[in-house]
Amino acid sequence: MAGHFDLQGRHGKSRVRVSRVWRRPADAGGHLFVEWSVAVSVVSDCLPSYTSDDNSAIVATDSIKNTVYVKAKECTEVVSMEEFAVILGRHFTSLYPQVSEAAVTIVERPWERVAVDGKPHSHGFKLGSEKHTTEVTVKKSGSLLINSGIQGYSLLKTTQSGFEGFMRDRYTLLPETRERIVATEVTAWWRYPFEHISQLPSKPFCFTQRYQDVKKVLADTFFGPSDVGVYSPSVQNTLYLMAREVLTRFAAEIWPLLCYLL
């Protein structure tokens, strides 16, 4: 009896650059602009493309790229990049019978609204530094995984930092100190608790606002009160306190967080 060989192949398209403007009047907050780098990877039963030169089960990269552009245009209301990734994942797993899973990764270029004479400009933006990221996996069954994060978040304080009591040996030259500058770059990842499409709130969950909230908690914990700050005995301890504070503040909305400083 001949055996059955099932091959699930993964293919897709990366570096799809998307710019989207939602034009709103100044009294409604002004224009909103986002720039995303989108990567889509689909899993499908495409054994014939390997064994018999039959590409009928392959979703062309051109199709994937154009789908990203079309779906962005169809979003007439403002969406977060997490919501957009879910839209793409649901599209690819529902339109193509052979596609069992779609993974969508998006990195947002940090365009920030500028202020002129102390007032937010209705349609002017400047480029920031840290990046908002997300990785969303949607399966044909409706199973869902949403990981989001921040990359390249540079923080510095000129005092309230030290490093003492570390292990010393004959190779150690670093003096102990309670007074030093500390500058670092933060990368953090967190997972949202939605495990199925059906669990997404009927009222849109503001992923973008939660990203801003997490970023603020990370910074507030790093710096401490504006007048006196907070002492950091080590990068390791500061890292732990930043991650703990995020999980404490958003325990019902964010699952275990990976955070590290460079």
Side-chain angles (χ1 to χ4, degrees), residues 158-199:
T158 56
T159 188
Q160 285 285 56
S161 175
F163 190 46
E164 301 176 286
F166 51 89
M167 186 176 69
R168 308 191 70 90
D169 56 38
R170 61 195 179 99
Y171 300 107
T172 306
L173 298 177
L174 182 70
E176 297 190 2
T177 182
R178 290 188 61 83
E179 179 58 55
R180 66 173 182 172
I181 296 173
V182 59
T184 191
E185 187 174 285
V186 181
T187 293
W189 283 95
W190 55 91
R191 177 171 298 175
Y192 290 101
F194 311 116
E195 296 184 292
H196 193 274
I197 292 291
S198 62
Q199 294 178 348

Side-chain angles (χ1 to χ4, degrees), residues 16-228:
V16 181
R17 184 177 175 184
V18 180
S19 295
R20 184 67 166 92
V21 181
W22 287 280
R23 302 181 187 278
R24 306 176 300 185
D27 59 4
H31 294 184
L32 183 63
F33 174 75
V34 295
E35 182 181 341
W36 296 330
S37 178
V38 181
V40 178
S41 175
V42 298
V43 174
S44 64
D45 184 2
C46 54
L47 176 60
S49 67
Y50 291 88
T51 61
S52 54
D53 298 328
D54 179 359
N55 295 327
S56 59
I58 299 292
V59 182
T61 57
D62 182 69
S63 300
I64 295 175
K65 176 191 67 176
N66 293 334
T67 298
V68 173
Y69 292 143
V70 170
K71 290 301 177 182
K73 184 177 181 179
E74 289 177 353
C75 291
T76 55
E77 299 295 327
V78 177
V79 295
S80 67
M81 65 183 197
E82 287 89 351
E83 291 169 311
F84 185 62
V86 171
I87 290 171
L88 290 176
R90 296 184 73 174
H91 169 83
F92 288 110
T93 54
S94 61
L95 181 63
Y96 302 104
Q98 75 275 23
V99 172
S100 60
E101 176 183 313
V104 181
T105 301
I106 303 179
V107 179
E108 182 173 87
R109 205 168 186 211
W111 290 103
E112 301 170 349
R113 191 177 305 279
V114 300
V116 177
D117 296 329
K119 296 181 179 179
H121 200 281
S122 66
H123 56 271
F125 298 84
K126 64 181 179 67
L127 189 61
S129 55
E130 67 276 357
K131 295 179 180 180
H132 183 185
T133 62
T134 193
E135 294 179 355
V136 174
T137 300
V138 180
K139 294 187 177 181
K140 192 179 288 292
S141 64
S143 176
L144 179 66
L145 180 66
I146 304 177
N147 292 328
S148 289
I150 183 171
Q151 294 179 356
Y153 192 23
S154 299
L155 303 173
L156 178 149
K157 57 184 181 182
T158 56
T159 188
Q160 285 285 56
S161 175
F163 190 46
E164 301 176 286
F166 51 89
M167 186 176 69
R168 308 191 70 90
D169 56 38
R170 61 195 179 99
Y171 300 107
T172 306
L173 298 177
L174 182 70
E176 297 190 2
T177 182
R178 290 188 61 83
E179 179 58 55
R180 66 173 182 172
I181 296 173
V182 59
T184 191
E185 187 174 285
V186 181
T187 293
W189 283 95
W190 55 91
R191 177 171 298 175
Y192 290 101
F194 311 116
E195 296 184 292
H196 193 274
I197 292 291
S198 62
Q199 294 178 348
L200 290 172
S202 55
K203 182 179 179 181
F205 180 83
C206 193
F207 292 99
T208 302
Q209 183 59 52
R210 185 57 66 242
Y211 164 76
Q212 296 291 346
D213 293 342
V214 170
K215 185 168 72 168
K216 183 178 185 302
V217 171
L218 291 171
D220 290 351
T221 308
F222 178 86
F223 292 117
S226 59
D227 52 348
V228 297

